[in-house]
Amino acid sequence: MFLPQVIKSARVMKKAVAHLIPFMEEEKAAALAAGGPADERSDAGCFLIATVKGDVHDIGKNIVAVVLGCNNYRVIDMGVMCPWKDILDRAEAEKADIIGLSGLITPSLDEMVTVATEMKKRGMKQPLLVGGATTSRMHTAVKVAPQYANTVVHVLDASRAVPVCQALLDEKRREDFEADIREQYQELREDFYASLEDRKYLTLADARAKAPTVDWKLAANLPHKPALLGTR
């Protein structure tokens, strides 16, 4: 589907879930009244998502938020242009299970590295998900993941957000999933650094010596004179 249809479908899903929520809450209240556990969690988990500082793009982020909301996740959408401190403070205050970062422009990649670094300084344990047009598995593996002691996952698109979150919050699947991600990212890092070893760089003097020279005295190199100068 084209993007407008995807957004429209997501909005329909959101409205449908909003219609069902009162019935779900009523069913939960009835279960509590019948003697059910009072501390039973009604959602699948708390997911905090934000577009990082310096970036105002949010279409992909909004789709992810809606899709997760429709799958019973409590989504905290912080919007766009969010500084790392605001993101982490809110995640700690809300006791978020997972933190998601979105970005479209290249500077957002550096901001995601900053968020991961600050999460490590705070001793945070939540998995960190990154996504957006400029993000990639390679960048996540080489630049973001090494800055954080816990799990970092690149999510290719909104359709992958739900299965990734399910795997990270499932006690039976989480360990194997995280080990697989770490192994994949380690292989990507090794491939990246191996490719750097194959590169050969010239000194500045050698590079200048190889600069092209043009003999402007040759007829073939003379600039072409237009048939008309000015405007008609």
PDB file of all heavy atoms in Angstrom, residues 163-186:
ATOM      1  N   PRO A 163       6.475  -7.739  16.675  1.00  0.00           N
ATOM      2  CA  PRO A 163       7.202  -8.980  16.997  1.00  0.00           C
ATOM      3  C   PRO A 163       8.495  -8.740  17.769  1.00  0.00           C
ATOM      4  O   PRO A 163       8.876  -9.560  18.608  1.00  0.00           O
ATOM      5  CB  PRO A 163       7.482  -9.601  15.621  1.00  0.00           C
ATOM      6  CG  PRO A 163       7.243  -8.530  14.628  1.00  0.00           C
ATOM      7  CD  PRO A 163       6.239  -7.609  15.228  1.00  0.00           C
ATOM      8  N   VAL A 164       9.177  -7.623  17.509  1.00  0.00           N
ATOM      9  CA  VAL A 164      10.398  -7.323  18.257  1.00  0.00           C
ATOM     10  C   VAL A 164      10.062  -7.064  19.720  1.00  0.00           C
ATOM     11  O   VAL A 164      10.720  -7.589  20.627  1.00  0.00           O
ATOM     12  CB  VAL A 164      11.131  -6.109  17.645  1.00  0.00           C
ATOM     13  CG1 VAL A 164      12.242  -5.631  18.575  1.00  0.00           C
ATOM     14  CG2 VAL A 164      11.722  -6.469  16.291  1.00  0.00           C
ATOM     15  N   CYS A 165       9.035  -6.265  19.968  1.00  0.00           N
ATOM     16  CA  CYS A 165       8.626  -5.978  21.355  1.00  0.00           C
ATOM     17  C   CYS A 165       8.154  -7.241  22.066  1.00  0.00           C
ATOM     18  O   CYS A 165       8.451  -7.453  23.247  1.00  0.00           O
ATOM     19  CB  CYS A 165       7.527  -4.919  21.374  1.00  0.00           C
ATOM     20  SG  CYS A 165       8.089  -3.269  20.912  1.00  0.00           S
ATOM     21  N   GLN A 166       7.414  -8.075  21.352  1.00  0.00           N
ATOM     22  CA  GLN A 166       6.942  -9.315  21.953  1.00  0.00           C
ATOM     23  C   GLN A 166       8.107 -10.204  22.374  1.00  0.00           C
ATOM     24  O   GLN A 166       8.093 -10.800  23.460  1.00  0.00           O
ATOM     25  CB  GLN A 166       6.038 -10.062  20.964  1.00  0.00           C
ATOM     26  CG  GLN A 166       4.693  -9.394  20.750  1.00  0.00           C
ATOM     27  CD  GLN A 166       3.876 -10.061  19.653  1.00  0.00           C
ATOM     28  OE1 GLN A 166       4.431 -10.766  18.792  1.00  0.00           O
ATOM     29  NE2 GLN A 166       2.571  -9.856  19.672  1.00  0.00           N
ATOM     30  N   ALA A 167       9.130 -10.280  21.525  1.00  0.00           N
ATOM     31  CA  ALA A 167      10.289 -11.112  21.838  1.00  0.00           C
ATOM     32  C   ALA A 167      11.070 -10.550  23.030  1.00  0.00           C
ATOM     33  O   ALA A 167      11.544 -11.298  23.884  1.00  0.00           O
ATOM     34  CB  ALA A 167      11.204 -11.216  20.617  1.00  0.00           C
ATOM     35  N   LEU A 168      11.167  -9.215  23.100  1.00  0.00           N
ATOM     36  CA  LEU A 168      11.932  -8.595  24.176  1.00  0.00           C
ATOM     37  C   LEU A 168      11.234  -8.673  25.526  1.00  0.00           C
ATOM     38  O   LEU A 168      11.899  -8.656  26.570  1.00  0.00           O
ATOM     39  CB  LEU A 168      12.213  -7.124  23.830  1.00  0.00           C
ATOM     40  CG  LEU A 168      13.222  -6.883  22.707  1.00  0.00           C
ATOM     41  CD1 LEU A 168      13.234  -5.421  22.317  1.00  0.00           C
ATOM     42  CD2 LEU A 168      14.613  -7.343  23.124  1.00  0.00           C
ATOM     43  N   LEU A 169       9.913  -8.762  25.524  1.00  0.00           N
ATOM     44  CA  LEU A 169       9.160  -8.785  26.780  1.00  0.00           C
ATOM     45  C   LEU A 169       8.711 -10.186  27.181  1.00  0.00           C
ATOM     46  O   LEU A 169       8.066 -10.357  28.215  1.00  0.00           O
ATOM     47  CB  LEU A 169       7.950  -7.857  26.678  1.00  0.00           C
ATOM     48  CG  LEU A 169       8.276  -6.373  26.475  1.00  0.00           C
ATOM     49  CD1 LEU A 169       7.000  -5.543  26.386  1.00  0.00           C
ATOM     50  CD2 LEU A 169       9.170  -5.852  27.589  1.00  0.00           C
ATOM     51  N   ASP A 170       9.046 -11.174  26.367  1.00  0.00           N
ATOM     52  CA  ASP A 170       8.706 -12.568  26.670  1.00  0.00           C
ATOM     53  C   ASP A 170       9.900 -13.204  27.385  1.00  0.00           C
ATOM     54  O   ASP A 170      10.978 -13.354  26.804  1.00  0.00           O
ATOM     55  CB  ASP A 170       8.398 -13.325  25.381  1.00  0.00           C
ATOM     56  CG  ASP A 170       7.865 -14.723  25.645  1.00  0.00           C
ATOM     57  OD1 ASP A 170       8.196 -15.304  26.695  1.00  0.00           O
ATOM     58  OD2 ASP A 170       7.119 -15.241  24.790  1.00  0.00           O
ATOM     59  N   GLU A 171       9.725 -13.554  28.649  1.00  0.00           N
ATOM     60  CA  GLU A 171      10.830 -14.097  29.428  1.00  0.00           C
ATOM     61  C   GLU A 171      11.411 -15.372  28.823  1.00  0.00           C
ATOM     62  O   GLU A 171      12.608 -15.651  28.966  1.00  0.00           O
ATOM     63  CB  GLU A 171      10.360 -14.370  30.860  1.00  0.00           C
ATOM     64  CG  GLU A 171       9.991 -13.104  31.637  1.00  0.00           C
ATOM     65  CD  GLU A 171       9.583 -13.408  33.050  1.00  0.00           C
ATOM     66  OE1 GLU A 171       9.591 -14.602  33.420  1.00  0.00           O
ATOM     67  OE2 GLU A 171       9.261 -12.470  33.804  1.00  0.00           O
ATOM     68  N   LYS A 172      10.589 -16.147  28.133  1.00  0.00           N
ATOM     69  CA  LYS A 172      11.062 -17.397  27.556  1.00  0.00           C
ATOM     70  C   LYS A 172      11.849 -17.178  26.262  1.00  0.00           C
ATOM     71  O   LYS A 172      12.726 -17.975  25.927  1.00  0.00           O
ATOM     72  CB  LYS A 172       9.875 -18.320  27.270  1.00  0.00           C
ATOM     73  CG  LYS A 172       9.124 -18.744  28.514  1.00  0.00           C
ATOM     74  CD  LYS A 172       7.965 -19.666  28.157  1.00  0.00           C
ATOM     75  CE  LYS A 172       7.200 -20.097  29.391  1.00  0.00           C
ATOM     76  NZ  LYS A 172       6.043 -20.973  29.073  1.00  0.00           N
ATOM     77  N   ARG A 173      11.542 -16.100  25.546  1.00  0.00           N
ATOM     78  CA  ARG A 173      12.181 -15.852  24.252  1.00  0.00           C
ATOM     79  C   ARG A 173      13.260 -14.785  24.295  1.00  0.00           C
ATOM     80  O   ARG A 173      14.107 -14.727  23.410  1.00  0.00           O
ATOM     81  CB  ARG A 173      11.119 -15.437  23.221  1.00  0.00           C
ATOM     82  CG  ARG A 173      10.036 -16.468  22.980  1.00  0.00           C
ATOM     83  CD  ARG A 173       8.875 -15.850  22.209  1.00  0.00           C
ATOM     84  NE  ARG A 173       9.335 -15.210  20.981  1.00  0.00           N
ATOM     85  CZ  ARG A 173       8.599 -14.345  20.279  1.00  0.00           C
ATOM     86  NH1 ARG A 173       7.410 -13.998  20.711  1.00  0.00           N
ATOM     87  NH2 ARG A 173       9.065 -13.822  19.169  1.00  0.00           N
ATOM     88  N   ARG A 174      13.225 -13.951  25.311  1.00  0.00           N
ATOM     89  CA  ARG A 174      14.094 -12.765  25.325  1.00  0.00           C
ATOM     90  C   ARG A 174      15.581 -13.112  25.268  1.00  0.00           C
ATOM     91  O   ARG A 174      16.334 -12.526  24.483  1.00  0.00           O
ATOM     92  CB  ARG A 174      13.811 -11.918  26.568  1.00  0.00           C
ATOM     93  CG  ARG A 174      14.731 -10.722  26.695  1.00  0.00           C
ATOM     94  CD  ARG A 174      14.274  -9.772  27.767  1.00  0.00           C
ATOM     95  NE  ARG A 174      15.171  -8.622  27.866  1.00  0.00           N
ATOM     96  CZ  ARG A 174      14.895  -7.507  28.528  1.00  0.00           C
ATOM     97  NH1 ARG A 174      13.749  -7.402  29.163  1.00  0.00           N
ATOM     98  NH2 ARG A 174      15.764  -6.522  28.570  1.00  0.00           N
ATOM     99  N   GLU A 175      16.016 -14.060  26.071  1.00  0.00           N
ATOM    100  CA  GLU A 175      17.449 -14.365  26.136  1.00  0.00           C
ATOM    101  C   GLU A 175      17.984 -14.812  24.784  1.00  0.00           C
ATOM    102  O   GLU A 175      19.037 -14.351  24.326  1.00  0.00           O
ATOM    103  CB  GLU A 175      17.698 -15.439  27.200  1.00  0.00           C
ATOM    104  CG  GLU A 175      19.170 -15.730  27.426  1.00  0.00           C
ATOM    105  CD  GLU A 175      19.404 -16.708  28.570  1.00  0.00           C
ATOM    106  OE1 GLU A 175      18.447 -16.986  29.316  1.00  0.00           O
ATOM    107  OE2 GLU A 175      20.545 -17.185  28.709  1.00  0.00           O
ATOM    108  N   ASP A 176      17.262 -15.729  24.130  1.00  0.00           N
ATOM    109  CA  ASP A 176      17.700 -16.214  22.812  1.00  0.00           C
ATOM    110  C   ASP A 176      17.644 -15.106  21.762  1.00  0.00           C
ATOM    111  O   ASP A 176      18.535 -14.998  20.911  1.00  0.00           O
ATOM    112  CB  ASP A 176      16.829 -17.391  22.371  1.00  0.00           C
ATOM    113  CG  ASP A 176      17.079 -18.639  23.203  1.00  0.00           C
ATOM    114  OD1 ASP A 176      18.152 -18.710  23.836  1.00  0.00           O
ATOM    115  OD2 ASP A 176      16.202 -19.523  23.227  1.00  0.00           O
ATOM    116  N   PHE A 177      16.599 -14.282  21.834  1.00  0.00           N
ATOM    117  CA  PHE A 177      16.459 -13.188  20.863  1.00  0.00           C
ATOM    118  C   PHE A 177      17.606 -12.198  21.006  1.00  0.00           C
ATOM    119  O   PHE A 177      18.220 -11.783  20.021  1.00  0.00           O
ATOM    120  CB  PHE A 177      15.117 -12.486  21.069  1.00  0.00           C
ATOM    121  CG  PHE A 177      14.882 -11.327  20.146  1.00  0.00           C
ATOM    122  CD1 PHE A 177      14.476 -11.532  18.835  1.00  0.00           C
ATOM    123  CD2 PHE A 177      15.073 -10.025  20.581  1.00  0.00           C
ATOM    124  CE1 PHE A 177      14.267 -10.465  17.973  1.00  0.00           C
ATOM    125  CE2 PHE A 177      14.859  -8.952  19.735  1.00  0.00           C
ATOM    126  CZ  PHE A 177      14.458  -9.173  18.429  1.00  0.00           C
ATOM    127  N   GLU A 178      17.912 -11.802  22.238  1.00  0.00           N
ATOM    128  CA  GLU A 178      18.987 -10.842  22.461  1.00  0.00           C
ATOM    129  C   GLU A 178      20.341 -11.420  22.063  1.00  0.00           C
ATOM    130  O   GLU A 178      21.191 -10.715  21.489  1.00  0.00           O
ATOM    131  CB  GLU A 178      19.006 -10.420  23.926  1.00  0.00           C
ATOM    132  CG  GLU A 178      17.809  -9.577  24.325  1.00  0.00           C
ATOM    133  CD  GLU A 178      17.848  -9.161  25.779  1.00  0.00           C
ATOM    134  OE1 GLU A 178      18.432  -9.898  26.597  1.00  0.00           O
ATOM    135  OE2 GLU A 178      17.295  -8.094  26.105  1.00  0.00           O
ATOM    136  N   ALA A 179      20.562 -12.697  22.358  1.00  0.00           N
ATOM    137  CA  ALA A 179      21.829 -13.326  21.978  1.00  0.00           C
ATOM    138  C   ALA A 179      21.980 -13.357  20.456  1.00  0.00           C
ATOM    139  O   ALA A 179      23.084 -13.126  19.925  1.00  0.00           O
ATOM    140  CB  ALA A 179      21.896 -14.742  22.544  1.00  0.00           C
ATOM    141  N   ASP A 180      20.883 -13.618  19.758  1.00  0.00           N
ATOM    142  CA  ASP A 180      20.918 -13.647  18.296  1.00  0.00           C
ATOM    143  C   ASP A 180      21.222 -12.257  17.732  1.00  0.00           C
ATOM    144  O   ASP A 180      22.027 -12.122  16.792  1.00  0.00           O
ATOM    145  CB  ASP A 180      19.576 -14.154  17.760  1.00  0.00           C
ATOM    146  CG  ASP A 180      19.586 -14.316  16.252  1.00  0.00           C
ATOM    147  OD1 ASP A 180      20.538 -14.920  15.723  1.00  0.00           O
ATOM    148  OD2 ASP A 180      18.637 -13.835  15.600  1.00  0.00           O
ATOM    149  N   ILE A 181      20.600 -11.229  18.311  1.00  0.00           N
ATOM    150  CA  ILE A 181      20.854  -9.858  17.864  1.00  0.00           C
ATOM    151  C   ILE A 181      22.319  -9.488  18.089  1.00  0.00           C
ATOM    152  O   ILE A 181      22.983  -8.916  17.212  1.00  0.00           O
ATOM    153  CB  ILE A 181      19.937  -8.863  18.606  1.00  0.00           C
ATOM    154  CG1 ILE A 181      18.477  -9.032  18.136  1.00  0.00           C
ATOM    155  CG2 ILE A 181      20.397  -7.421  18.371  1.00  0.00           C
ATOM    156  CD1 ILE A 181      18.245  -8.647  16.697  1.00  0.00           C
ATOM    157  N   ARG A 182      22.848  -9.804  19.255  1.00  0.00           N
ATOM    158  CA  ARG A 182      24.245  -9.476  19.555  1.00  0.00           C
ATOM    159  C   ARG A 182      25.196 -10.188  18.597  1.00  0.00           C
ATOM    160  O   ARG A 182      26.201  -9.613  18.150  1.00  0.00           O
ATOM    161  CB  ARG A 182      24.575  -9.848  21.004  1.00  0.00           C
ATOM    162  CG  ARG A 182      23.887  -8.969  22.045  1.00  0.00           C
ATOM    163  CD  ARG A 182      24.518  -9.179  23.420  1.00  0.00           C
ATOM    164  NE  ARG A 182      23.860  -8.352  24.416  1.00  0.00           N
ATOM    165  CZ  ARG A 182      22.882  -8.757  25.206  1.00  0.00           C
ATOM    166  NH1 ARG A 182      22.446 -10.009  25.124  1.00  0.00           N
ATOM    167  NH2 ARG A 182      22.332  -7.943  26.090  1.00  0.00           N
ATOM    168  N   GLU A 183      24.887 -11.434  18.291  1.00  0.00           N
ATOM    169  CA  GLU A 183      25.738 -12.187  17.359  1.00  0.00           C
ATOM    170  C   GLU A 183      25.706 -11.566  15.961  1.00  0.00           C
ATOM    171  O   GLU A 183      26.753 -11.408  15.315  1.00  0.00           O
ATOM    172  CB  GLU A 183      25.267 -13.639  17.297  1.00  0.00           C
ATOM    173  CG  GLU A 183      26.123 -14.512  16.400  1.00  0.00           C
ATOM    174  CD  GLU A 183      25.661 -15.962  16.372  1.00  0.00           C
ATOM    175  OE1 GLU A 183      24.779 -16.321  17.200  1.00  0.00           O
ATOM    176  OE2 GLU A 183      26.160 -16.724  15.543  1.00  0.00           O
ATOM    177  N   GLN A 184      24.513 -11.199  15.504  1.00  0.00           N
ATOM    178  CA  GLN A 184      24.388 -10.566  14.191  1.00  0.00           C
ATOM    179  C   GLN A 184      25.161  -9.250  14.133  1.00  0.00           C
ATOM    180  O   GLN A 184      25.887  -8.982  13.168  1.00  0.00           O
ATOM    181  CB  GLN A 184      22.913 -10.306  13.872  1.00  0.00           C
ATOM    182  CG  GLN A 184      22.079 -11.537  13.634  1.00  0.00           C
ATOM    183  CD  GLN A 184      20.630 -11.182  13.349  1.00  0.00           C
ATOM    184  OE1 GLN A 184      20.326 -10.150  12.764  1.00  0.00           O
ATOM    185  NE2 GLN A 184      19.709 -12.036  13.770  1.00  0.00           N
ATOM    186  N   TYR A 185      25.014  -8.441  15.180  1.00  0.00           N
ATOM    187  CA  TYR A 185      25.673  -7.132  15.187  1.00  0.00           C
ATOM    188  C   TYR A 185      27.185  -7.267  15.319  1.00  0.00           C
ATOM    189  O   TYR A 185      27.933  -6.450  14.777  1.00  0.00           O
ATOM    190  CB  TYR A 185      25.101  -6.262  16.305  1.00  0.00           C
ATOM    191  CG  TYR A 185      23.706  -5.751  16.016  1.00  0.00           C
ATOM    192  CD1 TYR A 185      23.021  -6.148  14.865  1.00  0.00           C
ATOM    193  CD2 TYR A 185      23.042  -4.888  16.879  1.00  0.00           C
ATOM    194  CE1 TYR A 185      21.742  -5.694  14.598  1.00  0.00           C
ATOM    195  CE2 TYR A 185      21.766  -4.416  16.610  1.00  0.00           C
ATOM    196  CZ  TYR A 185      21.120  -4.834  15.469  1.00  0.00           C
ATOM    197  OH  TYR A 185      19.851  -4.381  15.191  1.00  0.00           O
ATOM    198  N   GLN A 186      27.637  -8.285  16.041  1.00  0.00           N
ATOM    199  CA  GLN A 186      29.079  -8.515  16.130  1.00  0.00           C
ATOM    200  C   GLN A 186      29.649  -8.870  14.761  1.00  0.00           C
ATOM    201  O   GLN A 186      30.734  -8.394  14.371  1.00  0.00           O
ATOM    202  CB  GLN A 186      29.366  -9.637  17.134  1.00  0.00           C
ATOM    203  CG  GLN A 186      30.846  -9.958  17.311  1.00  0.00           C
ATOM    204  CD  GLN A 186      31.649  -8.781  17.809  1.00  0.00           C
ATOM    205  OE1 GLN A 186      31.151  -7.967  18.588  1.00  0.00           O
ATOM    206  NE2 GLN A 186      32.898  -8.661  17.380  1.00  0.00           N
TER     207      GLN A 186
END
